[in-house]
Amino acid sequence: MRVVMFGYQTWGHRTLQALLDSEHDVVTVVTHPRSDHAYEKIWSDSVADLAEKHGVPVIIRNRPDDELFELLREASPDIIVANNWRTWIPPRIYNLPRHGTLNIHDSLLPAYAGFSPLIWALINGEPEVGVTAHMMDEELDAGDIVVQRAVAVGPTDTATDLFHRTVDLIAPVTVEALGLIASGQTEFTPQDRSKASFFHKRAEEDIRIDWNWPAEDLERLVRAQSAPYPAAFTFHRGQRLEVVSAVVSEGRYGGTPGRIFYREGDGVVIVAGADARTGRNRGLAITRIRTADGHELPATEYFTSMGGYLTGRP
């Protein structure tokens, strides 16, 4: 099939590479310009560079416009394949090819449509994550599922671990889905919209630690914000403090959320949970921190005495 590919960053790069390695003919690539957004500079393999290396025409756009529509019509694709395209694709474009548009999304749809699905899924304690190939329709990430593959989430996995596992699913999921479509299959699995959820992009506010959260949730937040993502942060004595690693405490600690309370093993326990006053909660045992000047050290060396509070604001 003649394929036009819409994509960006490493997700788009892996999709394009899969298409170039397949039996299909990539006739045009559409990608976004480089971005200074913190999250868009992570996993930023260039789709444009890969396309140009293989002699595939490249169109750079922030969002579709009339000129792009005409260029795509001239390219006469049998199908569009999209992955990590960051703006709305209108019906006149996604319906242009005779087979429509196949979107590749890194979640187990219908859950975690939208942005940063791996990070949100890890924060929420999901047992598995994955990649879904679905047909595009008028609602974002809501079309019929063609192929879906999952991987388990382990108890110490970080978002970086899950990225590497799911990005390796992109090629087989894409190629299998295209094979089904090329064979003439047109009936796929409708999404159960009663199970749908839709998430926004990650931002600074989303990595600020709220000590009213249970320690189990905070521990997953720290793992979800693993390098190269910006680390979850709090404030100590008015200074920003990044939490590089942490575990849920073995003991249960009562008091006020955010209290720097007790040394346990290699960590310093912070009281956590909105109902911490009951004494039924585990705490978050911080093991490594990074100071505002970028110095990283064990929490037991940073917190030289117990007492005081970690706060959400200076």
Side-chain angles (χ1 to χ4, degrees):
M1 293 189 294
R2 290 173 58 83
V3 180
V4 165
M5 188 265 178
F6 278 63
Y8 188 50
Q9 295 177 276
T10 301
W11 295 269
H13 188 279
R14 287 292 189 97
T15 305
L16 177 56
Q17 187 63 65
L19 294 171
L20 292 168
D21 292 340
S22 75
E23 63 184 0
H24 305 289
D25 182 19
V26 183
V27 296
T28 302
V29 164
V30 186
T31 190
H32 295 302
R34 295 185 187 275
S35 170
D36 290 328
H37 187 284
Y39 279 87
E40 292 184 4
K41 290 194 288 186
I42 301 170
W43 316 125
S44 57
D45 293 303
S46 173
V47 171
D49 289 352
L50 179 60
E52 289 168 357
K53 177 182 175 181
H54 289 268
V56 179
V58 176
I59 302 171
I60 306 293
R61 287 290 189 281
N62 276 314
R63 54 187 48 82
D65 55 22
D66 290 341
E67 181 185 19
L68 175 61
F69 176 74
E70 292 302 325
L71 291 170
L72 294 178
R73 190 162 62 176
E74 291 172 10
S76 188
D78 296 309
I79 193 167
I80 292 171
V81 176
N83 192 346
N84 199 42
W85 181 259
R86 313 296 277 178
T87 57
W88 183 62
I89 298 177
R92 67 170 181 165
I93 288 182
Y94 69 68
N95 285 326
L96 177 64
R98 63 190 180 96
H99 291 299
T101 294
L102 180 75
N103 186 53
I104 314 299
H105 182 71
D106 55 335
S107 85
L108 297 175
L109 294 174
Y112 296 94
F115 300 91
S116 305
L118 292 179
I119 295 177
W120 288 114
L122 179 52
I123 290 170
N124 291 329
E126 300 293 350
E128 58 182 10
V129 294
V131 171
T132 302
H134 70 96
M135 301 309 300
M136 187 174 288
D137 63 14
E138 68 278 0
E139 189 174 350
L140 183 64
D141 295 334
D144 291 356
I145 294 171
V146 183
V147 175
Q148 187 172 80
R149 295 288 179 269
V151 293
V153 179
T156 62
D157 280 340
T158 66
T160 304
D161 296 327
L162 299 180
F163 165 80
H164 287 297
R165 263 183 244 147
T166 54
V167 82
D168 286 343
L169 294 176
I170 288 174
V173 165
T174 301
V175 172
E176 181 180 349
L178 286 178
L180 292 173
I181 294 167
S183 73
Q185 186 168 334
T186 57
E187 297 295 324
F188 302 110
T189 305
Q191 294 188 37
D192 181 351
R193 302 308 296 158
S194 70
K195 297 180 180 178
S197 55
F198 182 55
F199 286 80
H200 60 73
K201 291 181 181 180
R202 302 289 292 174
E204 178 87 350
E205 193 62 27
D206 304 310
I207 61 176
R208 185 190 308 274
I209 292 175
D210 181 347
W211 293 105
N212 288 302
W213 284 22
E216 293 81 3
D217 292 357
L218 293 176
E219 186 269 342
R220 290 194 300 269
L221 173 64
V222 171
R223 285 192 282 126
Q225 295 299 144
S226 57
Y229 296 105
F233 70 94
T234 186
F235 287 89
H236 182 228
R237 296 174 179 170
Q239 298 299 308
R240 181 173 171 135
L241 193 66
E242 294 182 346
V243 179
V244 177
S245 61
V247 297
V248 177
S249 71
E250 294 182 6
R252 299 179 187 276
Y253 298 88
T256 302
R259 177 75 173 188
I260 305 163
F261 190 22
Y262 191 75
R263 291 190 179 185
E264 183 185 277
D266 295 330
V268 173
V269 176
I270 313 300
V271 177
D275 61 344
R277 66 190 181 281
T278 65
R280 293 192 293 263
N281 296 352
R282 308 283 180 182
L284 185 72
I286 299 175
T287 53
R288 291 193 71 80
I289 60 91
R290 185 181 298 114
T291 58
D293 62 3
H295 183 51
E296 185 177 320
L297 70 161
T300 52
E301 293 182 14
Y302 175 82
F303 295 106
T304 56
S305 61
M306 299 301 98
Y309 292 86
L310 297 181
T311 58
R313 306 283 172 178

